[in-house]
Structure formats: structure tokens, C-alpha cells
Amino acid sequence: MAPKATTAASSRTKNAQNTRASSDAGGAHRSSGGAPEFTLSAEREAELLREAESLGDNASLFPGKLARRVIWASRIQLAAERDAADLVRTPFPDDEPPLTREEIRGLREKIELLRVVQSRWQAAQQRQERAVAAFQKPAAEAAQIKQSLLRFFDLRFKKSPEGQKRLMAIRAGSGDADLVQDASDLLLLCSEHAEAVQKAPRDEAAAADRLRELSPVLARMLADKTLSLEAVRSRKLRDAAYTLVVNAERKLRAAAEYWYAGTDKMKDYAPFPVSRGAYGGGEEEGEDGGEPEEAEPDGESEAGESGDDEPGDEGQSP
């Protein structure tokens, strides 16, 4: 019976070892599927932010799909580290500095910077979206009060061209900013005609009091839901960080072309593919055209990915 116990104990030990090995392998697989874990120091982040800001208007718009772009850029960076002995000897033109190992390792830092500034931009965007949603209810109430008070003043100014002119100015605008201004203009009219408003039989006085409460609230909410300077800067930095990554990839790709053109190694340096009809009209991202769209490694596809696009981001101007 003792040998059986020994065998059972040995079996449990082997199972535990296999479980740990399987777990380790799974962790390694997940790590290889994305960017290696990496923390950007505050000092290095500040340096890269200065480099990003120096791009000014030369930054490219970030097309979205952050998670997959980070994975793709990380693969290129890992391939460049593997091939660094060749790549650093690439004979770039005299007006272009040679590629260094520090520059190859630096792509990893630029990738992490893109993660960081994208998170900050998304946080700013989400705050704005919440403010937009919060604005809707008080704005609808203010708009209803506005119509009620306008009816009152239409009747009061029936024979007053000057009064009618003021009402026309209030009606002329549209949009949230105009609503906030209209509330202020109507409250001024209510103050000028306070006695008549108090005597009006359809609760115009209560409506004016409520509008007086809503007016400062709407003004503050309007400021909150407008894209702030901080948010604009966050988005510009995000675009600039993305540009740093793309520019670094291009240099690595140029060096790889010199050494490995026509070989399987070039697949590790392929530009990120863009869906047909997306940015660049279906050409490779950030390229000037001419390169065929590469198949994605590991069976990945554009379909099925979610959470990386940025609804509401496109088309907003600072």
C-alpha cells in the first residue's frame, strides 16, 4: 500500500508542476500577444512630451484602435531589438543620424507614452460627455420657460417696435450657447417689467424665478461640456505621441528594408494594415501608398475588436 501512496503523492506533485507550467505558459502567451509590461519614468515621460510638443502641426491624427496598434508597434520593436546588430549598421544618408540601440529601445517608451496620453484624453472626453448629458434636462426646462415668457412679452410688446426687436433678437439664435444668453436676456426683460410679470395670470412670475435659478447652472454646465483647453491639449499630445511611434517605426522599417528586403524577416516590420475605406483610402497606415496590405499575424482580424475606437472624437476641432 505504501508504494501506492508514494505514487499518488508523486502524481499530485507532477500535476501541480504541470499546472504551474501551464499557467506560466499562459502568462507568457498573453504577454507576447500584447506589449510587454513596462513603466515609463516621470523624467523620461517629460522628455518625450517635450519631443511630442515640438512636432507642432506636423503631428498625424491618431486613427484609433489603440490596443491593436500598441501590439503591432511592440512586435516591430521586439524584432528590431532582435536584429539590432544589423540595423545599427544601416548606412543612412549623411543628413540623417544613424540608428542606435538606444533609439530602438526608445520605441518601447514611445509606445507607453501613447498609452498614457490616450488614457488622459479619454478621461477628458468622458468628462465632457457626462457634462453634455447632464446639460440636456435643465436646458429642456429652460427652453420651455423661454417659450412661455416669450408669449407673455409678445402680447406686452404688441405695439412696441423696440420691444418686438428685442424679442426677435432672442428668437434669432439657436443652440446651447444661445439658450444660455437668451435666458439672461429674458431675465433682464422680467426685471424691467417686474410688476407686469408678477400680475400675469399664467404663473409667469414663477417661471421667471425658475429661470433665474437655472441661468447660472446652465452657464456653468455649458462651460463644462465645451471641449476644455486641457482636453484639446490632451488630444494634441495623443496625436503627437502616436506620430512619434509611427516615425520610429518608419526608420526601423527603412533599416530593415536595407537588410532583409525579400526575406521572411520583413513580415515582422510590416506597417499596420488599415481597412479599406478607412484613413488613407485603404493604404497602409502612415505610408504614402504603394505597399500591399499585409496579412495580420496570429489570425487576428479587424472584425471583432471593440473598445478601441473613439466615438465623438473625430471631427472635433480644437
Side-chain angles (χ1 to χ4, degrees), residues 33 35 39 56 65-66 68-69 93 110 117 120 124 132 151 153 197 216-217 223 229 234 288 308 315:
T39 301
K65 298 190 181 298
L66 176 76
R68 297 189 60 247
R69 290 169 192 276
K110 292 172 181 177
V117 294
R120 291 172 185 166
V132 168
R151 284 195 300 270
F153 284 110
V197 171
V217 174
L229 293 177
S234 296
D288 295 327
D308 290 319

Side-chain angles (χ1 to χ4, degrees), residues 28-81:
H29 175 74
R30 287 191 294 273
S31 177
S32 64
E37 291 185 5
F38 180 74
T39 301
L40 187 64
S41 70
E43 182 180 0
R44 183 57 177 151
E45 179 184 333
E47 291 176 3
L48 288 174
L49 285 175
R50 287 193 292 271
E51 183 179 351
E53 288 175 325
S54 71
L55 293 174
D57 294 334
N58 294 321
S60 303
L61 292 176
F62 176 62
K65 298 190 181 298
L66 176 76
R68 297 189 60 247
R69 290 169 192 276
V70 163
I71 291 172
W72 200 277
S74 297
R75 286 175 177 148
I76 293 175
Q77 194 271 333
L78 291 172
E81 284 193 351

Side-chain angles (χ1 to χ4, degrees), residues 76-89:
I76 293 175
Q77 194 271 333
L78 291 172
E81 284 193 351
R82 177 196 66 201
D83 302 328
D86 289 336
L87 300 183
V88 296
R89 296 188 293 127

Side-chain angles (χ1 to χ4, degrees), residues 11-22:
S11 177
R12 286 195 297 271
T13 301
K14 288 181 180 180
N15 288 339
Q17 290 173 343
N18 290 338
T19 300
R20 285 196 298 271
S22 176

Side-chain angles (χ1 to χ4, degrees), residues 127-146:
R127 286 194 297 270
Q128 181 201 3
E129 289 171 353
R130 288 194 296 269
V132 168
F135 184 85
Q136 298 307 313
K137 186 175 180 179
E141 184 181 359
Q144 188 175 7
I145 294 173
K146 170 184 169 181

